[in-house]
Amino acid sequence: MKTILSSETMDIPDGVKIKINARVIEVEGPRGKLSRDFKHLNLDFQLIKDEEGKKKLKIDAWFATRKTSAAIRTALSHVENLITGVTKGYRYKMRFVYAHFPINASITNSNTAIEIRNFLGEKKITAMQFFDRLSVPCFEVCCAKCMDSSVLFQISSVSYDTCYMQVRKVDMLDGVTILRSEKVKDELVLDGNDIELVSRSAALINQKCHVKNKDIRKFLDGIYVSEKGTVVVEE
Amino acid sequence: MPFKRYVEIGRVALVNYGKEYGRLVVIVDVIDQNRALIDAPDMVRSQMNFKRLSLTDIKIEINRVPKKKALIEAMEKADVKNKWEKSSWGRRLIVQQRRAALNDFDRFKLMLAKIKRGGLIRQELAKLKKENAA
């Protein structure tokens, strides 16, 4: 059955500028600008001013089926996330969990990438092994792991342990920064404005440290999200 | 962006398909999601699909399904006919009807009038160009 009209409104706090044009919403606030495109939804977005002059966002659905009416509230929630992202920002905290092998993480690239080593003690050697003091001038070799010649290295003399070690590298998405928190052992802090990007970066880090071929009830190692909050915390 | 012309009792609409093509009618009741009961001073009250109606900006004050006399009174009070003929949509329709009803002699007269008008416009333009160049 189609409901003739279903609509919902939401308050817009002061200090945030919203622009709506053709179902593309742009939000601007003290922490920056975010934009989101709702062209996959068939809804009417309007900015209205109700009595006492408060600014509100109103979403209408005409002759909507059940699923379309449900999409009204989710669109409002997405806009709410944009607004808090742009005023308070999002901070996700992750903890390293390990039983025996300390997870060794280093943050590279001016806080936009993380390299993880020694997860579960792995030392997978994936390039060709060389014997001690083999001296072969100007020998070009391509990395056996990725099989592409962009990782050519010239070797004149190589000893056993300068081979390629298993490193898990995760690049943060646009606008997300990562740092190792001081004072708390083994904690990562991801900061950003867009909740989708921050939570997806956290998920990428988590997924890089899945345990394979083992009973996961016993091998609980990994990097897990411990707290989802905002950067600016109000008391 | 939001809608301005709503389907409501008293909304004046133009029929854009079917036997009553081109007639101005008033919506006097809504039957279901797709159909309305419509009425006009010189027509039997009947049902019509919304897809055959184009809503106009004009709305009159009536109760649900008024008697014919009450409908005519309300239309006079709101001056629907004059408002329609003065609106740009109404004027355009009247011009289209006139053009469709021209006979050959009228079309000849029209051609001469257009040529004369074009000539006057070009004269004025030439005067302005001369002033500008000077």
Side-chain angles (χ1 to χ4, degrees):
Chain A
M1 138 164 173
K2 297 203 183 189
T3 317
I4 299 180
L5 171 63
S6 39
S7 68
E8 259 203 58
T9 68
M10 134 176 166
D11 280 330
I12 300 176
D14 321 302
V16 176
K17 268 195 289 183
I18 297 202
K19 246 194 332 172
I20 304 183
N21 183 16
R23 293 178 287 172
V24 173
I25 303 211
E26 283 183 13
V27 183
E28 197 174 333
R31 286 182 62 98
K33 240 198 314 182
L34 283 177
S35 120
R36 194 154 173 167
D37 158 13
F38 290 105
K39 283 182 181 284
H40 53 87
L41 297 171
N42 283 335
L43 302 173
D44 290 341
F45 289 78
Q46 310 168 279
L47 281 174
I48 59 175
K49 256 202 173 127
D50 71 341
E51 333 91 38
E52 2 154 342
K54 303 267 298 134
K55 271 196 289 164
K56 285 190 193 255
L57 171 69
K58 181 162 183 265
I59 301 189
D60 285 329
W62 294 92
F63 292 109
T65 53
R66 204 177 140 99
K67 295 228 191 95
T68 317
S69 308
I72 295 179
R73 184 90 204 274
T74 72
L76 279 180
S77 301
H78 285 314
V79 175
E80 220 174 281
N81 287 340
L82 289 177
I83 291 178
T84 62
V86 124
T87 52
K88 297 196 213 136
Y90 281 101
R91 175 166 281 170
Y92 274 40
K93 298 201 185 140
M94 306 181 79
R95 300 296 297 271
F96 298 165
V97 175
Y98 56 88
H100 178 266
F101 292 104
I103 298 179
N104 186 347
S106 66
I107 307 208
T108 58
N109 234 11
S110 64
N111 292 352
T112 55
I114 181 172
E115 284 186 356
I116 301 164
R117 292 184 174 80
N118 203 30
F119 179 69
L120 279 178
E122 286 170 348
K123 281 187 188 38
K124 258 196 223 127
I125 295 168
T126 51
M128 292 177 9
Q129 299 184 1
F130 294 91
F131 300 107
D132 232 334
R133 279 181 276 114
L134 170 75
S135 77
V136 182
C138 303
F139 185 3
E140 284 191 356
V141 145
C142 89
C143 173
K145 181 185 181 202
C146 29
M147 273 313 165
D148 63 344
S149 45
S150 64
V151 192
L152 294 171
F153 17 87
Q154 287 193 326
I155 313 164
S156 43
S157 117
V158 174
S159 65
Y160 192 102
D161 53 10
T162 51
C163 293
Y164 182 78
M165 302 276 268
Q166 174 75 320
V167 169
R168 300 159 191 251
K169 184 157 197 265
V170 183
D171 274 321
M172 296 293 109
L173 301 171
D174 229 11
V176 180
T177 56
I178 180 171
L179 21 98
R180 207 82 196 251
S181 97
E182 333 82 38
K183 291 185 208 170
V184 181
K185 185 164 108 94
D186 291 339
E187 189 178 52
L188 292 173
V189 176
L190 282 85
D191 281 343
N193 279 349
D194 190 351
I195 192 178
E196 307 265 324
L197 298 179
V198 171
S199 51
R200 204 178 326 146
S201 307
L204 288 172
I205 298 177
N206 183 11
Q207 286 192 320
K208 263 296 197 248
C209 299
H210 280 178
V211 181
K212 307 277 181 223
N213 298 329
K214 296 280 181 301
D215 187 354
I216 55 173
R217 301 168 305 177
K218 183 69 189 173
F219 290 80
L220 300 169
D221 292 41
I223 304 183
Y224 299 95
V225 176
S226 63
E227 189 190 318
K228 300 182 184 179
T230 56
V231 178
V232 175
V233 181
E234 280 157 53
E235 301 310 310
Chain B
M1 220 263 94
F3 292 97
K4 288 197 213 89
R5 299 174 187 160
Y6 292 98
V7 166
E8 45 201 335
I9 296 181
R11 173 67 58 183
V12 173
L14 186 70
V15 180
N16 59 28
Y17 181 90
K19 194 155 117 1
E20 308 288 340
Y21 182 86
R23 200 198 267 276
L24 270 185
V25 294
V26 177
I27 297 178
V28 296
D29 197 3
V30 171
I31 299 172
D32 64 11
Q33 192 191 302
N34 296 320
R35 289 177 304 158
L37 193 60
I38 58 166
D39 206 356
D42 51 352
M43 184 177 111
V44 174
R45 197 191 298 151
S46 61
Q47 61 94 16
M48 191 170 278
N49 194 321
F50 288 123
K51 293 189 180 182
R52 293 189 173 201
L53 297 174
S54 301
L55 304 179
T56 66
D57 285 327
I58 309 172
K59 179 174 182 293
I60 66 178
E61 294 276 319
I62 48 172
N63 293 322
R64 194 178 75 92
V65 195
K67 293 205 185 323
K68 208 55 162 226
K69 214 162 59 137
L71 176 67
I72 297 180
E73 262 175 40
M75 286 184 85
E76 293 293 311
K77 197 153 150 257
D79 209 13
V80 170
K81 194 159 184 303
N82 279 336
K83 276 207 211 137
W84 177 244
E85 281 165 12
K86 278 201 223 98
S87 75
S88 52
W89 185 358
R91 273 185 281 137
R92 226 184 318 136
L93 276 195
I94 292 175
V95 168
Q96 282 175 4
Q97 283 163 5
R98 268 229 76 199
R99 284 201 187 146
L102 289 177
N103 66 29
D104 189 55
F105 185 40
D106 288 328
R107 270 175 268 140
F108 176 72
K109 285 190 278 183
L110 183 67
M111 174 185 76
L112 294 181
K114 277 192 181 171
I115 291 174
K116 188 167 185 173
R117 181 181 74 170
L120 287 175
I121 291 176
R122 234 167 285 146
Q123 271 182 345
E124 288 296 325
L125 183 63
K127 275 192 229 159
L128 283 175
K129 275 201 201 158
K130 218 160 74 161
E131 275 176 46
N132 228 1

